[in-house]
Amino acid sequence: MTPEEITRKLGEVGLVNPLQSVAVGAIAYAGAFLMAIVAVVLSVVAIVVTGLGNPVDSALESVDMDQAEAGSGVGLLIRLPFQLVAMATFGSFDVDGTIEGVSFGAGLRVLPFGITLVMVLLAFYGGRFVQKRQRAGLVGIWTTSVLTGFGVALFTVLSAFILAERVPAEAGASISLHAAGFDTFFGAFALITLSLALGRLTVRARRSWWPLVADLPAAFKLAVSHALIVTVLGLCGVTIVSTIQALIDGETPPMIYVLLLLPLIGGHVLSFVTGLDMLSAATANIDGAGALSYLMDGMNGTERATMFSLPWYTWLGGLLLGGLALLLASLLWQHQRRIVPHHVVSLGVSWIALPAAYFLGGLVLLVLSQASVAAQLSGGGFFFGDMRIGASVGLAAWTPLLAMMAGVIVELLSRFVAPFLTPFLPSAALSWFRRPLAPAAASVTSGAVGAAGASSAVGPAGSGPLTYSAPLAGAAPDGGFSLAPSAQGIPTDINADGVVEAGTVSAQHAGQAQAHEAVPTSADGTAAAGRYATVPIGATAGALSFAGAAGAAGAAGAAGAGGAGGAAGADGSTAEPGAAGNSTGKITAAAASLSPRTRKLVLAGAVVVGAGIVLVIGLIVTFVVLSNTVFSPEKRVEAYLGAVQAGDAEQALEIAAPNVPTAQQALLTNDIAGAAENRISDFEIVGSEESGSKSATVTAKVTQDGVTTTRTYRVDRSGRTAVVFPDWTMAETEYATLALVIPDGAATLLVNGQEVAVSDLDTSEGYYAPAAVLPGQYTVTLPESSELVAAVESVAYVSADPDDWYELYAAPGYSLSESGMEEVQTQVDALLDECATSTEESPDGCPFRAYAYGVVEDSGSWTIDSYPTVEVEESDEGWYFGSSSSAGAATYSYQKEGWGSDDEPTDETDESSFSVSGTVTVGEDGTVAVEFDDGWW
């Protein structure tokens, strides 16, 4: 067989030369590679902007490696894009190595969506380009697509493996970094094969049943448009707010880094913005096994955050954006929407297309949001053994269900709300959304039909193909009339029998064909518009009747012929569905109007549905607003700090009681705390982080005496209040402890002017009593009891910062008044006088003594020559007096026995100076008592 014969035989079964498809695959990979280079350059710029310096040098310095050992920067720049392209096809960037018999590995799985998007779009539109120039059947399309996908996948894996980053190491060690693997191969194969094949299939003629399922591709396009609208508007809002705040704070706007990294994290931005706006949750999971599990105690588990974890103005804006996006999507979905009426498949698809597309879109969001890292070590010996650690972030698993609910809401809004809003909008506002591959209306091109003179009638939709009884004017030499592609790019032919069918457009008749509107056709040779006529959604059955001509009566217009399939005039006018002919051959549209009763029912239903939607949204917003304001953990902390600021200790105790005995809460009263000076003057809740759904950590800035302190409080969920709202309880809160030093004999203390019985305090510690207090200044003193003593107050300042809660104590006491000092001197003199009544040379308990020997019994007497002047001082254990600076003098007179028995006693005297010391005790009634110390003076 000759090459021409082989080509013809292959063409008969739909096979074509695969080189053009392979070229598209190469272009798709090249485009992805260039995008990877752009991503690397922008990432370097982002790193430089942050001030981290050269990222390559920083990375090498962290492993103590010279840059020359790891290769030049140019080599790294060449190798890295190949790895990024491999990661863009769902590959994992892995680090594998062995050091002294210990194997380790780590993997990073992140989808650089910008690179993936470029590869897919180039393959898709390249497939369309090839199919328009190289018509192929289904076998040829899938064969060439599979071959191209296999080639691109093989090249992706091999290039990533060959150009792996080899890190030099010592003998007995090897380390390599690459993204080659089975996941990379199958990912690249699936992306290229499906994108290329789908691109080629979109150019082929549609089957006759295409109008029945035309909503499906449009639904996927709307889901993508919806996600893009939410993401773009959300990013614009976040960019404006964050940029203004950053400029006010004198910082670099953070969105600059996001925009620079968009080729790498664009998929995550799209998925998280869209998912969170649909009320889904972002999840973070971390787990470990082996020795790492023990070392990570407390870090394992899953954390979730929703849009309501953000500041209130952020989630409120997100709710408004979500509602606006749903309404806009419904308007786009309702615009120029047509279905085949009275057909169960078409009606079923019209209801399930959007929820199904949104559900699959939710699955795509799950994939795009995933980012994970894992590391493992094996052969670590008896102590370490095999270890593993993994961490991942992404959207919650129920995201597709929420997306499906969004699709249902859009479908309902498009049917019951959008028709009332569309008339008030300019057509240009919605015309940008075009339904892909949508069939045209059920109409017949009248120019050709009218020239033919007559046509055979076709029954209602679904009864058969549209045929003509006579050859068409302008027929081609081969008996057929070739038409130009339709508006959707679908080639159509009308053969010599008058049947509209698929076929190659005859170039020699292109000029004639362009004068006529192409009729959408199917691959099986049936006119799609003739077999399944479509009407705007919501139209009645009367809209399908062709009143322009009665097929049964055989009536025809003056210039043409009319049938059940349509009617045309000699001037080339077109019969639309529901059109009627007149004597001039013109076709007039028969308006399909609703009866007044039906209008009222539709309006009432729309009002009820709209009111229900508004009510549900209002209830949801009210619940969310109240849950995040009035019934939020932040509000609990606000109530506590507000009580502390107001000195309402009883309210503070009710909200958050200290974990101390009741006796240590004696100072937590409104009278004492309210009278405290220098309480906190202001506070601000600056953050809240929920740990699951059971507890939250609230951060607040507290200002006291001009000093701001950051405090954290844990709040636990304890059930519900008002049936539906969460009830939060503050966990054990740390209070400052003030040590009260109690003087001997004191029965009452005055704290901020309020009496506190010592018996109500916790005196188990001995000479001091610990007491819990709120931040502020506390004045502690003793009650005034007599003119002899004056109470001495002790002031303690309790800071709001726990770091300043060391050595907090108050030591109240008494000081002697002038009368008290005189009383002490008087009592000392009286004690000395009492001592002077003794006949002993060394009276017990007295401060003076004489050095006398041979004293005749009871012959001695004391005389106080001068009294010492005492001074009173206070110590930790009370008061004491002394006369070190002014001693006293006393004379001892006595008779001394003679040397012999016959000798008479002689009179003797002994003068001495002395000092006194002792303690001063103040009784509860204010009396003063002094006592000499025991010992020698």
Side-chain angles (χ1 to χ4, degrees), residues 440-529:
S443 61
V444 181
T445 303
S446 60
V449 178
S455 67
S456 61
V458 179
S463 63
L466 182 65
T467 60
Y468 300 92
S469 61
L472 300 175
D478 56 2
F481 192 98
S482 300
L483 297 179
S486 67
Q488 291 77 30
I490 304 173
T492 58
D493 285 347
I494 301 179
N495 62 19
D497 295 330
V499 179
V500 183
E501 61 181 9
T504 306
V505 178
S506 302
Q508 62 269 32
H509 302 297
Q512 298 176 356
Q514 290 174 356
H516 306 282
E517 179 185 354
V519 180
T521 63
S522 64
D524 57 6
T526 304

Side-chain angles (χ1 to χ4, degrees), residues 638-652:
E638 282 184 9
Y640 170 74
L641 292 176
V644 174
Q645 181 181 9
D648 191 346
E650 296 173 2
Q651 179 69 15

Side-chain angles (χ1 to χ4, degrees), residues 793-811:
E793 65 183 22
S794 178
V795 178
Y797 177 78
V798 180
S799 172
D801 188 354
D803 293 339
D804 297 334
W805 290 353
Y806 57 90
E807 296 185 359
L808 281 179
Y809 70 92

